[in-house]
Amino acid sequence: MKSCLTLLLAMILALPAQASTDLKPFTPRPAPALDLPALDGSHLDLAKLRGRVVLVNFWAVWCPPCRKEMPSLTRLADRLASRPFTVLGVNVGDSADSIRAFLGQVPANLPILLDAEGASVKPWQVFAFPTTYLVDKKGQLRQGLFGAIDWDEPNAVAHMEALLAEPDPPGPDAAAGAAKSTARVESSASGK
Amino acid sequence: MVRFIIVLSLLAWLISLPARADEVALRLPSGAEVVSQRYPAAHGPVLLWLTDQSGQEAAEQRAAVRLAESRGEVWLTDLYAPWFLPQLSSSAARVPETDLGDWLEAVRRRVPDRRLVLVAAGHLADPALRAVSVWQSRHRSAAVPRFDVVLLFPLLYRTVEAGSEPDYIDAVDSARLNVAILQPRSAAGYWWRERLARRMEAAGSRVRMTVLEGLRDGFYQRGDTTDVEQAAGARLGETIRTTLDTLIEETPP
């Protein structure tokens, strides 16, 4: 009971009063640039993931709701591993050591990108943690969410499925880019 | 000689006792009664410390005792109880504006010769700024000075939705403040602190920003405090006193 109250208070403090419970649809618009080093030493550029649906999750080690949703984000990445789908965990402000310590407790099979100086916070309008965006195959921002949810929920998975069902963007460049970035994501997927 | 030593010891013991709180109840024209726990001090400013949804925190009470001993009087004020508001962060925006102005007016009447400083944390920054804004709008004809305010991890957004830039409450643009902001480093507000400072300065406020390393929003009232946060919570009184010293030294009344 005490731990439930503790978690509840921590979540209330970490989030704005209006934390959402579901992804909010946007009028499609180009996603801001996201070009960051990864925890495993590689580098990831969102623009090179064209042709894939990308879930971009901004999180921090100090944020209890972020920590709470990491396992279900990991399971979501596993569940859709055979599809053109990528989950990116953009850590804002923490040191690599503290991220590694956290991932030692809560392993995550997704690329962890490092934004130590918060360069992505303004263009991506991250006003609370966690903040999550869905980017479609054309590189357009389609949905967003402030707050943590359970990514195992069928309702949450349905949002990805809907975007995955959309046609691939035209042109050989996009397809080639998607294939290349699949390999790249796999190479940096451990994040450990 | 023995009697003198006994009297001296007694005096030393009395001085070492923590400040005892009593209650100040102010009835407003609306009928609401705002009750404050008063930690008396004969000198220095009066700190009107708005308590948050968790009620009066032990850390705030300890800090109030320390501040009353060393810097000025503290009124710990529960702003939800007079209007029977639920203990939710969203209640901060529901405290009636007219009553906030009336309350500040009543405090001024009660302590006319003392400098007032508002202290508020988190969502309570909202009613703090609205109180100042209403009070200043009523005294526009006089040369109204900037109001002294200390804000801990202020949350002043109107609404927050993914994909859009949230706006601040109107009082950010209308209150003229001499404000010290204590912003934890491990918080979303840290990345937007300059945006808030610029907005307040554009309204004529003077803003001093202090970043609190290794701390999160609500660091002294969380259920999952770290050792660093517990230590910072124990030093809350000193932190506010130092902040206050700078705020007041730089802007004499």
Side-chain angles (χ1 to χ4, degrees), chain A residues 29 32-34 58 92 115 117-127 129 133 141, chain B residues 157 163-166 168 188-196 198:
Chain A
R29 58 180 188 266
L34 190 70
F58 293 89
V92 181
D115 187 6
E117 300 303 320
S120 61
V121 166
K122 287 183 176 65
W124 285 82
Q125 299 189 321
V126 180
F127 285 90
F129 290 100
Y133 290 102
L141 269 190
Chain B
Y157 297 131
S164 57
E165 195 161 303
Y168 296 110
Y190 168 79
W191 302 103
W192 298 97
R193 65 194 188 286
E194 285 167 12
R195 177 179 183 250
L196 175 60
R198 278 198 303 272

Short mmCIF file of all heavy atoms in Angstrom, two decimals, chain A residues 29 32-34 58 92 115 117-127 129 133 141, chain B residues 157 163-166 168 188-196 198:
data_model
loop_
_atom_site.label_atom_id
_atom_site.label_comp_id
_atom_site.label_asym_id
_atom_site.label_seq_id
_atom_site.Cartn_x
_atom_site.Cartn_y
_atom_site.Cartn_z
N ARG A 29 2.93 16.78 -39.76
CA ARG A 29 3.94 17.81 -40.07
C ARG A 29 5.31 17.17 -39.93
O ARG A 29 5.46 16.19 -39.19
CB ARG A 29 3.79 19.01 -39.14
CG ARG A 29 3.90 18.70 -37.65
CD ARG A 29 3.73 20.00 -36.86
NE ARG A 29 4.01 19.84 -35.45
CZ ARG A 29 3.10 19.57 -34.52
NH1 ARG A 29 1.83 19.40 -34.87
NH2 ARG A 29 3.44 19.48 -33.25
N PRO A 32 10.85 17.16 -36.29
CA PRO A 32 12.11 17.90 -36.15
C PRO A 32 13.31 16.96 -36.32
O PRO A 32 13.16 15.74 -36.20
CB PRO A 32 12.05 18.45 -34.72
CG PRO A 32 10.63 18.33 -34.28
CD PRO A 32 10.05 17.18 -35.06
N ALA A 33 14.45 17.57 -36.58
CA ALA A 33 15.67 16.76 -36.71
C ALA A 33 15.99 16.09 -35.39
O ALA A 33 15.69 16.62 -34.31
CB ALA A 33 16.82 17.64 -37.15
N LEU A 34 16.59 14.89 -35.50
CA LEU A 34 17.05 14.18 -34.29
C LEU A 34 18.28 13.40 -34.70
O LEU A 34 18.18 12.36 -35.36
CB LEU A 34 15.94 13.25 -33.77
CG LEU A 34 16.20 12.62 -32.40
CD1 LEU A 34 16.12 13.67 -31.29
CD2 LEU A 34 15.21 11.50 -32.12
N PHE A 58 11.09 10.45 -25.06
CA PHE A 58 12.03 11.29 -24.30
C PHE A 58 11.89 10.94 -22.83
O PHE A 58 10.78 11.02 -22.27
CB PHE A 58 11.73 12.77 -24.54
CG PHE A 58 11.99 13.21 -25.95
CD1 PHE A 58 10.99 13.11 -26.91
CD2 PHE A 58 13.24 13.70 -26.32
CE1 PHE A 58 11.23 13.49 -28.23
CE2 PHE A 58 13.49 14.08 -27.64
CZ PHE A 58 12.48 13.97 -28.60
N VAL A 92 17.40 12.53 -21.81
CA VAL A 92 17.72 13.95 -21.73
C VAL A 92 18.40 14.26 -20.40
O VAL A 92 17.81 14.10 -19.33
CB VAL A 92 16.44 14.82 -21.87
CG1 VAL A 92 16.79 16.30 -21.81
CG2 VAL A 92 15.72 14.50 -23.18
N ASP A 115 21.18 12.83 -25.11
CA ASP A 115 21.01 14.27 -25.32
C ASP A 115 21.36 14.99 -24.01
O ASP A 115 20.49 15.48 -23.29
CB ASP A 115 19.57 14.58 -25.75
CG ASP A 115 19.40 16.04 -26.14
OD1 ASP A 115 20.41 16.77 -26.18
OD2 ASP A 115 18.25 16.46 -26.39
N GLU A 117 22.80 17.73 -23.34
CA GLU A 117 22.59 19.19 -23.24
C GLU A 117 21.16 19.60 -23.55
O GLU A 117 20.86 20.79 -23.64
CB GLU A 117 23.55 19.92 -24.19
CG GLU A 117 25.03 19.65 -23.90
CD GLU A 117 25.41 20.02 -22.47
OE1 GLU A 117 24.93 21.05 -21.99
OE2 GLU A 117 26.17 19.26 -21.85
N GLY A 118 20.29 18.65 -23.75
CA GLY A 118 18.88 18.97 -24.00
C GLY A 118 18.64 19.66 -25.34
O GLY A 118 17.67 20.42 -25.47
N ALA A 119 19.48 19.37 -26.32
CA ALA A 119 19.34 20.03 -27.63
C ALA A 119 18.02 19.71 -28.31
O ALA A 119 17.50 20.52 -29.08
CB ALA A 119 20.51 19.62 -28.53
N SER A 120 17.47 18.54 -28.01
CA SER A 120 16.23 18.15 -28.69
C SER A 120 14.97 18.66 -27.97
O SER A 120 13.87 18.58 -28.51
CB SER A 120 16.16 16.61 -28.76
OG SER A 120 16.16 16.06 -27.46
N VAL A 121 15.15 19.14 -26.75
CA VAL A 121 13.99 19.50 -25.92
C VAL A 121 13.13 20.58 -26.57
O VAL A 121 11.89 20.46 -26.60
CB VAL A 121 14.47 19.95 -24.51
CG1 VAL A 121 13.37 20.66 -23.75
CG2 VAL A 121 14.96 18.75 -23.71
N LYS A 122 13.77 21.61 -27.10
CA LYS A 122 12.98 22.72 -27.66
C LYS A 122 12.33 22.35 -28.99
O LYS A 122 11.12 22.51 -29.15
CB LYS A 122 13.84 23.98 -27.75
CG LYS A 122 14.07 24.57 -26.37
CD LYS A 122 14.85 25.85 -26.39
CE LYS A 122 14.97 26.43 -24.98
NZ LYS A 122 15.76 25.58 -24.06
N PRO A 123 13.11 21.85 -29.98
CA PRO A 123 12.44 21.52 -31.25
C PRO A 123 11.36 20.46 -31.11
O PRO A 123 10.36 20.50 -31.83
CB PRO A 123 13.58 21.03 -32.15
CG PRO A 123 14.74 20.79 -31.26
CD PRO A 123 14.57 21.67 -30.07
N TRP A 124 11.51 19.57 -30.15
CA TRP A 124 10.51 18.51 -29.96
C TRP A 124 9.47 18.89 -28.90
O TRP A 124 8.59 18.09 -28.59
CB TRP A 124 11.19 17.19 -29.59
CG TRP A 124 11.86 16.53 -30.76
CD1 TRP A 124 13.08 16.81 -31.28
CD2 TRP A 124 11.31 15.50 -31.59
NE1 TRP A 124 13.34 16.04 -32.37
CE2 TRP A 124 12.27 15.21 -32.59
CE3 TRP A 124 10.12 14.79 -31.59
CZ2 TRP A 124 12.06 14.24 -33.57
CZ3 TRP A 124 9.91 13.82 -32.56
CH2 TRP A 124 10.86 13.55 -33.54
N GLN A 125 9.60 20.06 -28.35
CA GLN A 125 8.63 20.57 -27.37
C GLN A 125 8.38 19.58 -26.23
O GLN A 125 7.25 19.16 -25.98
CB GLN A 125 7.34 20.97 -28.07
CG GLN A 125 7.59 22.07 -29.10
CD GLN A 125 6.33 22.66 -29.67
OE1 GLN A 125 5.38 21.95 -29.91
NE2 GLN A 125 6.34 23.96 -29.91
N VAL A 126 9.47 19.25 -25.57
CA VAL A 126 9.37 18.33 -24.43
C VAL A 126 9.20 19.17 -23.16
O VAL A 126 10.15 19.70 -22.61
CB VAL A 126 10.64 17.45 -24.34
CG1 VAL A 126 10.53 16.50 -23.14
CG2 VAL A 126 10.83 16.66 -25.63
N PHE A 127 7.97 19.31 -22.73
CA PHE A 127 7.66 20.12 -21.55
C PHE A 127 7.43 19.26 -20.31
O PHE A 127 7.13 19.79 -19.25
CB PHE A 127 6.44 20.99 -21.82
CG PHE A 127 6.74 22.17 -22.70
CD1 PHE A 127 6.64 22.08 -24.08
CD2 PHE A 127 7.17 23.37 -22.15
CE1 PHE A 127 6.93 23.17 -24.89
CE2 PHE A 127 7.46 24.46 -22.96
CZ PHE A 127 7.35 24.36 -24.33
N PHE A 129 8.22 14.94 -18.70
CA PHE A 129 8.80 13.61 -18.94
C PHE A 129 7.88 12.54 -18.36
O PHE A 129 7.36 12.72 -17.27
CB PHE A 129 10.17 13.49 -18.29
CG PHE A 129 11.22 14.32 -18.96
CD1 PHE A 129 11.60 15.54 -18.44
CD2 PHE A 129 11.82 13.88 -20.13
CE1 PHE A 129 12.56 16.32 -19.06
CE2 PHE A 129 12.79 14.65 -20.76
CZ PHE A 129 13.16 15.87 -20.23
N TYR A 133 6.46 10.60 -29.08
CA TYR A 133 5.90 10.96 -30.39
C TYR A 133 5.96 9.75 -31.31
O TYR A 133 6.88 8.92 -31.21
CB TYR A 133 6.71 12.10 -31.02
CG TYR A 133 6.53 13.43 -30.32
CD1 TYR A 133 7.50 13.91 -29.45
CD2 TYR A 133 5.40 14.21 -30.54
CE1 TYR A 133 7.35 15.12 -28.80
CE2 TYR A 133 5.23 15.43 -29.90
CZ TYR A 133 6.21 15.88 -29.04
OH TYR A 133 6.04 17.09 -28.40
N LEU A 141 5.42 13.85 -38.09
CA LEU A 141 4.88 13.68 -36.72
C LEU A 141 3.40 13.41 -36.83
O LEU A 141 2.67 14.17 -37.47
CB LEU A 141 5.05 14.97 -35.92
CG LEU A 141 6.29 15.21 -35.08
CD1 LEU A 141 6.09 16.45 -34.22
CD2 LEU A 141 6.64 14.03 -34.23
N TYR B 157 2.28 26.54 -16.17
CA TYR B 157 1.62 26.35 -17.47
C TYR B 157 0.11 26.32 -17.30
O TYR B 157 -0.41 25.79 -16.32
CB TYR B 157 2.06 25.05 -18.12
CG TYR B 157 3.52 24.98 -18.44
CD1 TYR B 157 4.28 23.89 -18.07
CD2 TYR B 157 4.14 26.03 -19.12
CE1 TYR B 157 5.63 23.82 -18.37
CE2 TYR B 157 5.48 25.97 -19.42
CZ TYR B 157 6.23 24.87 -19.04
OH TYR B 157 7.56 24.82 -19.33
N GLY B 163 3.05 18.17 -28.50
CA GLY B 163 3.01 18.72 -29.85
C GLY B 163 2.67 20.19 -29.91
O GLY B 163 2.60 20.77 -31.00
N SER B 164 2.45 20.82 -28.77
CA SER B 164 2.19 22.27 -28.81
C SER B 164 2.90 22.93 -27.63
O SER B 164 3.12 22.30 -26.58
CB SER B 164 0.70 22.56 -28.75
OG SER B 164 0.13 21.99 -27.59
N GLU B 165 3.25 24.19 -27.86
CA GLU B 165 4.00 24.91 -26.83
C GLU B 165 3.03 25.46 -25.80
O GLU B 165 2.16 26.26 -26.14
CB GLU B 165 4.78 26.05 -27.50
CG GLU B 165 5.84 26.61 -26.61
CD GLU B 165 6.88 27.40 -27.40
OE1 GLU B 165 7.48 26.82 -28.33
OE2 GLU B 165 7.05 28.57 -27.11
N PRO B 166 3.13 25.03 -24.55
CA PRO B 166 2.16 25.49 -23.55
C PRO B 166 2.37 26.95 -23.18
O PRO B 166 3.50 27.43 -23.14
CB PRO B 166 2.42 24.58 -22.36
CG PRO B 166 3.82 24.14 -22.50
CD PRO B 166 4.12 24.12 -23.95
N TYR B 168 1.81 30.23 -20.49
CA TYR B 168 1.78 30.44 -19.04
C TYR B 168 0.45 31.06 -18.64
O TYR B 168 -0.25 31.65 -19.46
CB TYR B 168 2.93 31.36 -18.63
CG TYR B 168 4.29 30.77 -18.88
CD1 TYR B 168 5.11 31.28 -19.88
CD2 TYR B 168 4.75 29.71 -18.11
CE1 TYR B 168 6.37 30.73 -20.11
CE2 TYR B 168 6.01 29.17 -18.34
CZ TYR B 168 6.81 29.68 -19.34
OH TYR B 168 8.05 29.14 -19.57
N ALA B 188 11.74 18.78 -15.87
CA ALA B 188 11.49 19.32 -17.21
C ALA B 188 11.63 20.85 -17.19
O ALA B 188 12.10 21.45 -18.15
CB ALA B 188 10.11 18.91 -17.67
N GLY B 189 11.22 21.47 -16.08
CA GLY B 189 11.28 22.93 -15.97
C GLY B 189 12.69 23.48 -16.11
O GLY B 189 12.86 24.64 -16.50
N TYR B 190 13.68 22.65 -15.81
CA TYR B 190 15.07 23.10 -15.93
C TYR B 190 15.38 23.53 -17.37
O TYR B 190 16.04 24.53 -17.60
CB TYR B 190 16.02 21.98 -15.51
CG TYR B 190 17.46 22.23 -15.89
CD1 TYR B 190 18.27 23.08 -15.13
CD2 TYR B 190 18.03 21.64 -17.02
CE1 TYR B 190 19.58 23.33 -15.48
CE2 TYR B 190 19.34 21.87 -17.38
CZ TYR B 190 20.11 22.72 -16.60
OH TYR B 190 21.41 22.97 -16.97
N TRP B 191 14.87 22.78 -18.32
CA TRP B 191 15.19 23.05 -19.73
C TRP B 191 14.45 24.27 -20.27
O TRP B 191 14.78 24.78 -21.33
CB TRP B 191 14.88 21.82 -20.58
CG TRP B 191 15.63 20.61 -20.10
CD1 TRP B 191 15.14 19.58 -19.35
CD2 TRP B 191 17.03 20.35 -20.26
NE1 TRP B 191 16.14 18.68 -19.06
CE2 TRP B 191 17.30 19.13 -19.61
CE3 TRP B 191 18.07 21.02 -20.91
CZ2 TRP B 191 18.57 18.56 -19.57
CZ3 TRP B 191 19.34 20.46 -20.88
CH2 TRP B 191 19.57 19.25 -20.22
N TRP B 192 13.43 24.71 -19.53
CA TRP B 192 12.62 25.84 -19.99
C TRP B 192 12.74 27.04 -19.05
O TRP B 192 11.96 27.98 -19.14
CB TRP B 192 11.15 25.41 -20.12
CG TRP B 192 10.98 24.34 -21.14
CD1 TRP B 192 10.91 22.99 -20.91
CD2 TRP B 192 10.91 24.49 -22.56
NE1 TRP B 192 10.78 22.30 -22.09
CE2 TRP B 192 10.78 23.20 -23.12
CE3 TRP B 192 10.92 25.60 -23.42
CZ2 TRP B 192 10.67 22.98 -24.49
CZ3 TRP B 192 10.82 25.39 -24.78
CH2 TRP B 192 10.70 24.10 -25.30
N ARG B 193 13.72 27.00 -18.15
CA ARG B 193 13.82 28.05 -17.13
C ARG B 193 14.08 29.43 -17.73
O ARG B 193 13.55 30.43 -17.24
CB ARG B 193 14.90 27.69 -16.11
CG ARG B 193 16.32 27.66 -16.67
CD ARG B 193 17.28 26.97 -15.72
NE ARG B 193 18.67 27.09 -16.16
CZ ARG B 193 19.20 26.41 -17.17
NH1 ARG B 193 18.46 25.57 -17.87
NH2 ARG B 193 20.47 26.57 -17.50
N GLU B 194 14.86 29.47 -18.79
CA GLU B 194 15.16 30.78 -19.39
C GLU B 194 13.93 31.35 -20.08
O GLU B 194 13.73 32.56 -20.10
CB GLU B 194 16.33 30.65 -20.36
CG GLU B 194 17.65 30.51 -19.60
CD GLU B 194 18.79 30.07 -20.48
OE1 GLU B 194 18.63 30.10 -21.72
OE2 GLU B 194 19.83 29.67 -19.93
N ARG B 195 13.13 30.47 -20.64
CA ARG B 195 11.88 30.92 -21.28
C ARG B 195 10.98 31.60 -20.24
O ARG B 195 10.43 32.68 -20.48
CB ARG B 195 11.17 29.72 -21.90
CG ARG B 195 9.83 30.02 -22.54
CD ARG B 195 9.26 28.72 -23.12
NE ARG B 195 8.01 28.90 -23.82
CZ ARG B 195 6.82 28.47 -23.39
NH1 ARG B 195 6.73 27.84 -22.22
NH2 ARG B 195 5.74 28.65 -24.10
N LEU B 196 10.86 30.97 -19.07
CA LEU B 196 10.03 31.55 -18.01
C LEU B 196 10.62 32.87 -17.52
O LEU B 196 9.90 33.86 -17.34
CB LEU B 196 9.92 30.55 -16.83
CG LEU B 196 9.17 31.06 -15.60
CD1 LEU B 196 7.72 31.43 -15.94
CD2 LEU B 196 9.19 30.01 -14.48
N ARG B 198 12.55 34.96 -19.12
CA ARG B 198 12.38 36.02 -20.14
C ARG B 198 10.96 36.55 -20.13
O ARG B 198 10.73 37.75 -20.25
CB ARG B 198 12.70 35.46 -21.53
CG ARG B 198 14.20 35.44 -21.85
CD ARG B 198 14.43 35.30 -23.35
NE ARG B 198 13.81 34.11 -23.89
CZ ARG B 198 14.40 32.90 -23.94
NH1 ARG B 198 15.62 32.75 -23.47
NH2 ARG B 198 13.77 31.87 -24.46
#
